[in-house]
């Protein structure tokens, strides 16, 4: 990857639907070589996929909640079972296996605290192997981006 590839990636992170001729102009290429480079970036896996980023509030998902999870065992079977169950829950938009105090950190979206509480009772607390959980409710989002720091 060179500087032109980096420029292409920076532009595509801002607008994945940018027309190729506009992208080419912004990165200093003619359209054909630009399209070729984009295809190479896709094939190499540097570009994983294209998505629409949806404003959760427009869907009534007004809360983003962080949940720390402790399992009763860190054995492979317990961890794999938890991962399988979490993948089935669309309310969980991020799940991270952690090193440190807790076993997993989740980001969950919900309409309000009552909806989250129901989700916690009916889904999270029922996953076999969950020993305990702590919910963290952010007061304000200071920064939220999908753009990676490409230099």
């Amino acid at each position: 990857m060179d500087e032109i590839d980096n420029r292409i990636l920076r532009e595509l992170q801002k607008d994945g639907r940018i027309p190729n001729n506009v992208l080419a102009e912004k990165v200093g290429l003619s359209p054909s070589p630009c399209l070729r480079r984009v295809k190479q970036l896709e094939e190499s896996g540097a570009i994983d996929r294209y998505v629409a980023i949806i404003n959760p509030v427009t869907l009534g998902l007004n809360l983003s909640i962080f949940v720390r999870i402790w399992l009763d065992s860190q054995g492979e079977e317990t961890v794999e079972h938890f991962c399988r169950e979490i993948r089935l829950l669309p309310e969980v938009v991020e799940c991270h296996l952690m090193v440190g105090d807790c076993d997993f950190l989740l980001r969950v979206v919900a309409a309000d605290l009552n909806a989250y509480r129901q989700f916690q009772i009916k889904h999270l607390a029922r996953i076999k192997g969950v020993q305990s959980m702590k919910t963290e409710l952010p007061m304000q989002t200071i920064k939220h981006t999908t753009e990676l720091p490409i230099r």
Side-chain angles (χ1 to χ4, degrees):
M1 296 216 336
D2 61 14
E3 178 54 32
I4 292 174
D5 289 333
N6 288 343
R7 280 187 268 169
I8 289 171
L9 292 173
R10 283 193 297 269
E11 292 300 324
L12 287 174
Q13 283 191 116
K14 293 176 193 167
D15 180 3
R17 294 181 66 182
I18 188 172
N20 183 59
N21 61 327
V22 176
L23 177 61
E25 185 178 315
K26 285 186 173 219
V27 301
L29 289 175
S30 59
S32 291
C34 183
L35 186 58
R36 225 178 355 264
R37 281 184 179 249
V38 170
K39 294 290 181 203
Q40 288 171 341
L41 289 166
E42 291 169 348
E43 290 168 5
S44 74
I47 296 174
D48 186 43
R49 66 189 180 277
Y50 297 91
V51 298
I53 299 172
I54 299 167
N55 181 342
V57 174
T58 65
L59 301 177
L61 300 169
N62 300 308
L63 288 180
S64 187
I65 301 141
F66 296 94
V67 186
R68 294 185 291 152
I69 303 284
W70 287 264
L71 300 179
D72 57 21
S73 160
Q74 284 75 39
E76 184 177 356
E77 186 178 314
T78 302
V79 170
E80 288 302 318
H81 174 75
F82 181 81
C83 292
R84 279 192 306 276
E85 293 296 313
I86 287 299
R87 286 185 187 107
L88 298 173
L89 302 173
E91 295 87 351
V92 178
V93 295
E94 291 182 45
C95 175
H96 304 275
L97 176 62
M98 303 298 286
V99 171
D101 185 38
C102 65
D103 295 312
F104 287 90
L105 177 65
L106 311 178
R107 185 166 70 90
V108 176
V109 293
D112 53 34
L113 277 176
N114 185 54
Y116 168 69
R117 180 67 179 137
Q118 293 305 309
F119 171 75
Q120 183 188 50
I121 292 167
K122 292 178 181 175
H123 298 286
L124 290 181
R126 291 186 181 180
I127 297 174
K128 182 181 173 216
V130 171
Q131 178 181 351
S132 65
M133 63 186 88
K134 291 205 180 206
T135 300
E136 308 286 346
L137 188 62
M139 291 176 27
Q140 179 182 7
T141 300
I142 307 304
K143 181 178 181 181
H144 181 259
T145 183
T146 60
E147 293 182 36
L148 297 176
I150 300 170
R151 305 269 181 232

